[in-house]
Amino acid sequence: MKSSLGEIRQRDMFLKSITLDQLQAFEAAARHSSFTRAAEELFVTQPTVSMQVKHLTQAIGMPLFEQVGKRVFLTEAGKEVLSTCQEIFKCLERLETTIDDLKGMKQGRLRLAAVTTTKYFIPKLLKPFCELYPGVSVSLEITNHEALLARLNDNLDDLYILSCPPERDDIEATTFLDNPLVAIAPANHPLAKQRNLPLECLAEEPLIVREEGSGTRKVIQKFFERHGISPRINLELGSNEAIHQAVIDGLGLSVISLHTLKFTEVKNQLAILDIEGLPIRCQWQVIYPKKKQLSITATTFLEYLLATSQQFSVDK
Ligand code: PGA
């Protein structure tokens, strides 16, 4: 059936009035069920997100969200727009990868996401890579284990760096470096001079741990469970540096990645305890969804990582 000129014009107007910025704002707001969090992710203000969604809603001609209490939910039309949005973004991502591959390593983008504890070596490792490939623009998102897995599920990056990835068949994982977790105490702590301490000594001391969602915390919890030990957690802190400082100040002991100590001044004020069963032997891994087609930039970085990362080994 032929469309009338009027219908074609109307469809044309509809398509022309929708912009990628509107789709991006809508997709982020739908994924987070929050305009505020979408604005944070996109580095724009919340009114900007509201305005983009408003214009998209006008172009579609039907409400895309409905508000119940403080939460927003997608309407049927909103769900349709979201799935089309996701297809459009997947197509654009494939296009970007193809274009990057055509340009080779002269130009391109590398999106990395890495857990908090990798910040002691990933930037050092990136420096020579960036010097080798000056045309490649690299973004590095540093976040904790749980937030990194959320990024993986949302397919936001090319490669994800963490230790102890989830056991999933749909993930490709490559190990590249050791990540020993050691028990630390203030340098002048009575346990610091003793050798072959039983693991139970950790249950007798107050323990400082990272926040919920941290990979380090998850590993330690599992380790204690496996050994039937119930630690006395007296403090939760959101950064490894805060843990160093709290241990130095005598607030408790902690179990932490040895990488956090390697290049820090504070290591002279801390002692690594000689405890049976420690260090906990974890490994740094690069992961990505098996279905993902890696760009030349991502493949080149992966090869570079495997070839050069041993210089950052702390496991002597
Ligand atoms: P974290 O993760 O920095 O969130 O503790 C570390 C890890 O994955 O081992």
Side-chain angles (χ1 to χ4, degrees), residues 115-117 144-145 162-163 179 210 213-216 284:
V115 288
T116 329
T117 309
N144 78 11
H145 184 94
L162 75 171
S163 68
N179 178 26
R210 283 273 306 279
S214 140
T216 312
W284 292 116

Side-chain angles (χ1 to χ4, degrees), residues 93-290:
E93 196 191 318
R94 274 201 300 275
L95 175 65
E96 191 184 21
T97 305
T98 311
I99 299 289
D100 277 355
D101 288 354
L102 288 174
K103 289 174 184 163
M105 290 301 288
K106 285 200 193 83
Q107 238 175 321
R109 269 186 78 186
L110 175 65
R111 281 164 298 216
L112 297 175
V115 288
T116 329
T117 309
T118 62
K119 73 171 184 202
Y120 302 93
F121 62 91
I122 288 289
K124 288 192 177 62
L125 199 141
L126 270 177
K127 189 173 177 260
F129 180 82
C130 293
E131 283 165 0
L132 208 55
Y133 303 108
V136 174
S137 81
V138 181
S139 66
L140 171 62
E141 187 72 31
I142 299 264
T143 176
N144 78 11
H145 184 94
E146 202 169 280
L148 182 118
L149 294 184
R151 291 185 71 84
L152 171 79
N153 287 338
D154 291 337
N155 191 26
L156 295 183
D157 309 282
D158 297 316
L159 300 169
Y160 304 82
I161 303 171
L162 75 171
S163 68
C164 310
E167 284 167 22
R168 277 170 41 180
D169 291 343
D170 59 342
I171 284 176
E172 191 68 52
T174 312
T175 299
F176 65 93
L177 190 62
D178 289 330
N179 178 26
L181 304 190
V182 293
I184 54 168
N188 59 0
H189 193 280
L191 294 180
K193 288 199 178 69
Q194 299 188 36
R195 294 286 156 260
N196 268 332
L197 289 159
L199 200 52
E200 287 71 25
C201 73
L202 282 179
E204 288 153 19
E205 299 276 336
L207 199 72
I208 304 168
V209 292
R210 283 273 306 279
E211 77 285 1
E212 280 287 352
S214 140
T216 312
R217 177 172 175 155
K218 208 181 250 176
V219 172
I220 295 166
Q221 268 173 343
K222 276 199 196 147
F223 178 79
F224 281 136
E225 271 166 33
R226 233 182 13 253
H227 290 85
I229 287 177
S230 316
R232 267 199 299 136
I233 295 174
N234 74 327
L235 192 56
E236 282 186 15
L237 293 170
S239 83
N240 293 317
E241 292 75 20
I243 291 186
H244 293 155
Q245 212 46 58
V247 172
I248 292 169
D249 291 343
L251 293 170
L253 308 186
S254 190
V255 178
I256 202 163
S257 166
L258 192 49
H259 284 275
T260 71
L261 298 176
K262 180 103 193 238
F263 298 103
T264 53
E265 306 272 305
V266 292
K267 67 170 180 275
N268 300 331
Q269 294 165 264
L270 292 165
I272 295 173
L273 300 180
D274 184 7
I275 297 180
E276 59 168 356
L278 290 182
I280 307 173
R281 305 226 160 254
C282 298
Q283 306 213 289
W284 292 116
Q285 308 197 22
V286 185
I287 65 169
Y288 58 90
K290 275 189 181 150

Side-chain angles (χ1 to χ4, degrees), residues 64-78:
L64 304 177
F65 288 106
E66 58 194 354
Q67 183 134 14
V68 180
K70 282 195 171 162
R71 298 190 56 196
V72 286
F73 294 89
L74 285 175
T75 60
E76 277 311 303

